[in-house]
Amino acid sequence: MWREIKDREAGKTRPNSFKNRVSSSRISNLQLSNYKDVVSPHRGSINSLQVDLTEGRYLLSGASDASASVFDIQHATDFEGGGEGALIAKHKSLITIDKQHQNGHKFAISSAIWYPIDTGLFVTGSYDHYIKVWDTNSTQMVINFKMPGKVYRTAMSPLATSHMLIAAGTEDVQVRLCDIASGAFAHTLSGHRDGVMTVEWSTSSEWVLVTGGCDGAIRFWDIRRAGCFLVLDQSQSQLGRRPPVLARSAVSKVSTSKALSKGQNLLGKPRMPQKKSGGGNGIKHSPLGQVPAKGYLKQRLHPGMLSSQDRATAHYGAVTGLKITEDGMYLLSAGSDSRIRLWDVESGRNTLVNFETARLQTSKPIQLATAQDSNLVFVPCMTSVKVNIPDVPCAFDVWSGKTYVTFRGHYEYVNCCWFSSQDQVSSYSCTFSQGFSSYHFISLITMLPARFFMQS
């Protein structure tokens, strides 16, 4: 570590490279913490969790006993004496909303998310067919939306500045967009042939939404227009990732300059000599019997409208989890076929990364998480949390998808996980397991103070 710090100080190592090395080193040394504990009020399996995106301080969880809780993960509410004179920090829930609340959910909460720009609101979705928006300070319901079936997943765009929409995936084949500002449905997105288990907003555009359904399809939507503009097909693949933008631009410049030096146009065809008319003006000659077209010769059909592409599938079974990398270039998907796939968002192709076989949940959605630099993806497995490597810059062998590290300590199935890193000295990860609702933390033992926790 000291050698890497000296290299960074001397300018031998670039900032991003140094950050990636330190982050990978920390995650590889994680272990279950004995000095931090969250006192859980939940009496059932925990289905969803999220650390707020503004302060990185408050943890929101939703459980199958129809309860939702908020915890302060930075400041402990109490301390207890541990072994060898060490103190154990206890984090108790600040607020809990359960069935006893006058507006509480009646059945299991499947999704709990923070309002992206403020901790004053949070959203819960439940199997009782309702999505509810809550005021954190007063613990009162602000708005509720009646859905046509069980709510599997809800999501809000962290980039949105022009809308306040909640995307909801339910038992119904349509994806519904709920507008907090008006308290009504904005519109619906039709295309799936079965229930929609997972929804995810793009990290590069506030208008792009990705959905995964029980029909095995993953669809990309631009919410400003009708129909999806991309359906992922597992049979359409590419080997590895595309070259970086700078490398591609350099190659294109070289090829363009060579083509121009040889007297060729950008299509690689020899330039046709132009004949002059009597007036001396140059005219272009088209093939015999054809008239030069103004615009496209063929109308560009919407991919979502083509029957062959519209029936494409990304998994042999339901799509249970989606996660877009921080740069918005790649999409990770998990399915009930116990497969994890990495997709190139630009080309819409499967990158053929062969992730090691893992036992995934098949009957309910799972929550994936990625590290801040998107080099690692955290996957909730049956009784552990595995970390695979989908993309490490400047290294090709990481596309093998081999397990990087495995976190053990849960007694039942792991449903979801969350990774949050606000700065270089602290990072958090949470996982919850089914059956037992006690919270486990993973602490990081490194030279720099850092914290990393896991929950079950």
Side-chain angles (χ1 to χ4, degrees):
M1 177 62 71
W2 285 114
R3 180 180 298 175
E4 294 179 354
I5 294 176
K6 289 181 179 179
D7 291 343
R8 175 68 193 98
E9 185 178 0
K12 297 179 181 179
T13 305
R14 293 188 176 184
N16 289 336
S17 177
F18 176 75
K19 182 190 70 173
N20 293 337
R21 290 180 185 178
V22 173
S23 176
S24 299
S25 176
R26 287 178 172 180
I27 294 176
S28 62
N29 291 313
L30 293 177
Q31 61 180 359
L32 194 64
S33 173
N34 296 321
Y35 305 104
K36 199 168 188 177
D37 189 19
V38 176
V39 182
S40 171
H42 300 301
R43 297 179 179 273
S45 62
I46 301 171
N47 300 321
S48 178
L49 73 159
Q50 186 181 28
V51 177
D52 71 277
L53 304 177
T54 53
E55 301 179 56
R57 175 178 175 180
Y58 298 104
L59 172 67
L60 173 66
S61 62
S64 60
D65 62 349
S67 64
S69 298
V70 176
F71 305 88
D72 187 342
I73 57 177
Q74 291 187 0
H75 302 285
T77 55
D78 195 8
F79 292 91
E80 289 185 2
E84 300 180 358
L87 292 178
I88 301 177
K90 296 289 184 178
H91 298 259
K92 298 180 180 179
S93 62
L94 302 180
I95 61 172
T96 299
I97 300 173
D98 54 17
K99 291 181 179 180
Q100 305 303 322
H101 193 281
Q102 59 180 353
N103 295 318
H105 288 288
K106 303 303 179 184
F107 300 112
I109 293 178
S110 56
S111 178
I113 58 173
W114 285 107
Y115 185 64
I117 59 175
D118 188 10
T119 55
L121 294 175
F122 65 91
V123 182
T124 57
S126 172
Y127 284 179
D128 62 3
H129 302 189
Y130 277 96
I131 293 176
K132 299 185 178 183
V133 181
W134 303 87
D135 186 316
T136 309
N137 299 315
S138 63
T139 66
Q140 296 299 316
M141 185 187 68
V142 180
I143 309 171
N144 68 333
F145 300 92
K146 181 69 168 69
M147 309 304 289
K150 294 179 181 178
V151 179
Y152 289 131
R153 192 64 69 190
T154 58
M156 295 190 71
S157 173
L159 306 177
T161 58
S162 305
H163 65 78
M164 301 171 62
L165 299 177
I166 304 171
T170 67
E171 281 183 320
D172 191 52
V173 296
Q174 293 181 324
V175 180
R176 282 170 169 77
L177 300 179
C178 313
D179 190 1
I180 296 180
S182 64
F185 294 110
H187 54 283
T188 59
L189 306 175
S190 302
H192 285 284
R193 292 176 173 79
D194 204 343
V196 181
M197 261 198 169
T198 178
V199 292
E200 180 83 4
W201 287 94
S202 171
T203 54
S204 58
S205 173
E206 64 175 303
W207 307 108
V208 177
L209 177 68
V210 188
T211 60
C214 297
D215 55 358
I218 297 177
R219 296 175 179 267
F220 283 72
W221 312 81
D222 187 334
I223 62 173
R224 297 169 295 184
R225 59 182 295 186
C228 65
F229 65 86
L230 178 63
V231 183
L232 298 185
D233 188 351
Q234 57 185 317
S235 63
Q236 301 294 323
S237 60
Q238 66 184 38
L239 189 59
R241 57 180 175 179
R242 60 181 183 272
V245 177
L246 294 178
R248 280 186 292 166
S249 61
V251 171
S252 62
K253 287 181 180 179
V254 172
S255 60
T256 303
S257 61
K258 288 183 178 180
L260 293 176
S261 64
K262 294 181 180 180
Q264 297 178 347
N265 57 17
L266 296 180
L267 296 177
K269 298 179 180 179
R271 293 180 176 177
M272 296 295 294
Q274 294 184 350
K275 296 183 180 180
K276 293 185 178 181
S277 62
N281 296 325
I283 58 172
K284 296 181 179 180
H285 291 266
S286 59
L288 183 64
Q290 296 183 7
V291 179
K294 296 181 179 180
Y296 290 105
L297 293 175
K298 183 179 180 181
Q299 183 183 4
R300 185 179 180 183
L301 295 179
H302 198 290
M305 303 301 178
L306 302 178
S307 59
S308 60
Q309 296 185 16
D310 188 49
R311 295 184 178 276
T313 59
H315 286 271
Y316 293 112
V319 180
T320 56
L322 292 174
K323 184 64 180 179
I324 297 180
T325 57
E326 293 293 331
D327 54 14
M329 296 174 64
Y330 297 96
L331 170 70
L332 286 148
S333 66
S336 59
D337 54 0
S338 291
R339 294 289 183 181
I340 304 170
R341 291 192 170 93
L342 181 67
W343 305 84
D344 188 321
V345 173
E346 183 181 10
S347 63
R349 293 177 178 269
N350 181 11
T351 59
L352 297 179
V353 178
N354 184 21
F355 290 93
E356 291 185 355
T357 304
R359 295 180 59 195
L360 305 179
Q361 288 272 21
T362 59
S363 59
K364 61 195 307 184
I366 62 175
Q367 184 177 336
L368 307 176
T370 56
Q372 188 177 17
D373 54 6
S374 301
N375 291 336
L376 303 174
V377 54
F378 297 83
V379 181
C381 300
M382 284 299 193
T383 55
S384 63
V385 179
K386 289 190 176 182
V387 182
N388 294 321
I389 311 176
D391 177 16
V392 176
C394 305
F396 186 77
D397 56 356
V398 300
W399 288 86
S400 61
K402 293 183 179 179
T403 301
Y404 185 72
V405 63
T406 301
F407 302 122
R408 300 189 182 277
H410 297 284
Y411 301 102
E412 293 291 340
Y413 300 160
V414 181
N415 296 327
C416 51
C417 55
W418 179 267
F419 183 92
S420 175
S421 179
Q422 297 293 330
D423 49 54
Q424 66 174 358
V425 297
S426 64
S427 58
Y428 305 95
S429 172
C430 323
T431 59
F432 297 81
S433 69
Q434 181 178 358
F436 293 83
S437 56
S438 60
Y439 290 63
H440 294 287
F441 281 75
I442 292 181
S443 64
L444 180 59
I445 302 176
T446 60
M447 190 177 305
L448 299 176
R451 290 170 294 184
F452 186 99
F453 73 87
M454 155 173 135
Q455 190 171 5
S456 67

